[in-house]
Amino acid sequence: MYDFKGRSLLTWLDWKEDEIRALIALSRRVKAEKHEQKQRFKGITVALLFEKRSTRTRCAFETAVGEEGGHPVFLSTDDIQLGAKESVEDTARVLGRMFNAIQFRGFKQSTAESLARYSGVPVYNGLTDQFHPTQALADVMTMEEEFGELKGRTLCFVGDGRNNIARSLLVLCGKLGINFTLCAPKELRPNEAELKKLWQSSASLKIGGSVEGADAIYTDVWVSMGEEALREERRRMLSPFQVNNGLLTKTGRDDTIFLHCLPAVRGEEVTDQVIDGPQSRVWDEAENRKHTIKAIMLATLGLEQIKV
Ligand code: CP
Ligand code: NVA
């Protein structure tokens, strides 16, 4: 039996393989039971703190909590003090007295860490400069639905290899035994020290490799939120890394799936033909955000048991 009660999800670095597998199993059960009327969040309040915009993450948290009788409260930085007129630590202390859990999306990973340290309730990282862990769980769940056992599969990330999505996938794939190939320009790859920290695995890691044989091709926007000033430079660097039909053919397989965290800038990192094509699983992946987020909350609030 796993006991995740009280635990935060800030990064996958401090989660073990079997614990992550248990969360994927619970996510798949949550999905299978999605039409059942349950009230597991009755009496539960969750604060949703957003310094950056969001469609999927916000809606996944709000609908997951709300449809099961809980009360999500959306708080943007236009609404609350968060490091502006009140320290993050003090805000955390107050929110911890009023809410059962906190979701944070924002600029700094350190803010998510402070919220977890000072609130005393589970904190979920809904995207920072460094990681987007709830996204990565939905991504590997989507791969498992497609292929079954994840160990030995290969995911190839194409694009900005240092961003929050690439870094989260590196950690999670490594932990689950998924081989990882990074197709990114030299300037946009994690450095040696970072790689050593992120890749704790005996699976295969190829930096600058080809997409040949990949089970999944994954890409993300060329310009992440907060980096808008770099648009022209990124376009120049990343144009050769567009995921189009030509690149997809280079896998040498017709059952490679295409994944993208979304939102996508069609015509930049991915073409319409690929994202709308038969190998795309992006809409399943987006739906899985909700099931995985619900599972993470159920487990860390102690509302669902996870058997071994
Ligand atoms: N993938 C993702 O996090 O989407 P949002 O930015 O819409 O939340
Ligand atoms: N790398 C993107 C992910 C969006 C879900 C960003 O940070 O904007």
Side-chain angles (χ1 to χ4, degrees):
M1 195 78 82
Y2 289 93
D3 183 7
F4 297 138
K5 193 170 178 191
R7 199 151 163 194
S8 290
L9 173 55
L10 305 178
T11 158
W12 290 112
L13 284 168
D14 53 354
W15 287 72
K16 296 195 184 77
E17 176 180 358
D18 61 320
E19 295 175 335
I20 300 164
R21 286 181 182 274
L23 284 179
I24 299 172
L26 180 59
S27 304
R28 295 192 67 176
R29 174 149 67 84
V30 164
K31 185 172 187 175
E33 296 170 354
K34 70 178 175 182
H35 297 299
E36 293 178 20
Q37 303 285 325
K38 298 187 185 237
Q39 290 290 298
R40 289 173 289 192
F41 293 117
K42 200 160 185 283
I44 297 288
T45 52
V46 183
L48 304 177
L49 271 50
F50 282 85
E51 292 179 341
K52 293 176 174 175
R53 286 171 188 249
S54 167
T55 300
R56 279 141 290 267
T57 309
R58 174 182 177 179
C59 295
F61 273 99
E62 288 215 22
T63 57
V65 174
E67 74 190 7
E68 294 213 27
H71 186 47
V73 178
F74 175 79
L75 299 162
S76 82
T77 33
D78 290 337
D79 306 309
I80 58 161
Q81 312 290 359
L82 189 69
K85 203 173 144 197
E86 184 173 46
S87 69
V88 173
E89 291 80 357
D90 287 354
T91 304
R93 289 181 175 106
V94 173
L95 295 179
R97 298 290 180 104
M98 299 190 187
F99 291 91
N100 297 94
I102 299 167
Q103 183 280 165
F104 172 75
R105 165 172 288 202
F107 291 93
K108 293 199 246 149
Q109 179 75 12
S110 58
T111 307
E113 285 163 8
S114 296
L115 287 168
R117 189 168 315 122
Y118 293 98
S119 66
V121 296
V123 172
Y124 314 119
N125 175 357
L127 181 149
T128 63
D129 55 342
Q130 293 191 32
F131 296 111
H132 194 3
T134 65
Q135 175 70 51
L137 192 68
D139 302 337
V140 294
M141 173 181 171
T142 310
M143 281 182 76
E144 195 187 87
E145 287 177 327
E146 185 74 25
F147 299 115
E149 176 55 48
L150 290 168
K151 214 178 265 294
R153 295 285 164 191
T154 299
L155 181 143
C156 179
F157 184 92
V158 182
D160 176 4
R162 305 152 320 119
N163 80 8
N164 41 21
I165 298 287
R167 294 162 55 86
S168 300
L169 287 167
L170 252 170
V171 176
L172 197 57
C173 288
K175 295 231 168 185
L176 295 170
I178 300 171
N179 304 318
F180 193 93
T181 304
L182 183 63
C183 292
K186 282 201 174 65
E187 304 87 326
L188 296 176
R189 297 176 190 167
N191 64 32
E192 280 301 316
E194 275 183 306
L195 276 178
K196 216 169 155 187
K197 185 180 131 198
L198 298 173
W199 187 257
Q200 303 170 359
S201 181
S202 57
S204 146
L205 173 64
K206 287 190 191 140
I207 305 291
S210 86
V211 300
E212 198 182 338
D215 293 286
I217 301 261
Y218 197 121
T219 193
D220 182 16
V221 288
W222 290 344
V223 182
S224 287
M225 288 180 277
E227 296 184 326
E228 287 73 13
L230 301 172
R231 177 162 290 281
E232 283 316 310
E233 180 187 313
R234 289 291 170 76
R235 273 207 185 120
R236 268 197 310 278
M237 279 182 191
L238 287 163
S239 293
F241 293 83
Q242 183 187 64
V243 179
N244 49 36
N245 276 343
L247 185 113
L248 215 49
T249 314
K250 287 193 183 137
T251 62
R253 300 170 49 167
D254 54 16
D255 62 343
T256 301
I257 61 169
F258 171 71
L259 299 174
H260 190 312
C261 54
L262 305 177
V265 183
R266 290 166 177 253
E268 285 203 354
E269 76 274 6
V270 62
T271 58
D272 287 335
Q273 288 96 321
V274 169
I275 198 168
D276 295 330
Q279 287 162 262
S280 173
R281 296 291 178 275
V282 300
W283 315 119
D284 299 315
E285 186 185 4
E287 180 191 330
N288 288 341
R289 295 297 310 287
K290 176 166 170 174
H291 306 306
T292 43
I293 280 172
K294 190 184 269 190
I296 291 162
M297 288 191 288
L298 288 169
T300 56
L301 291 169
L303 300 171
E304 273 287 352
Q305 303 284 351
I306 310 182
K307 295 191 188 72
V308 184

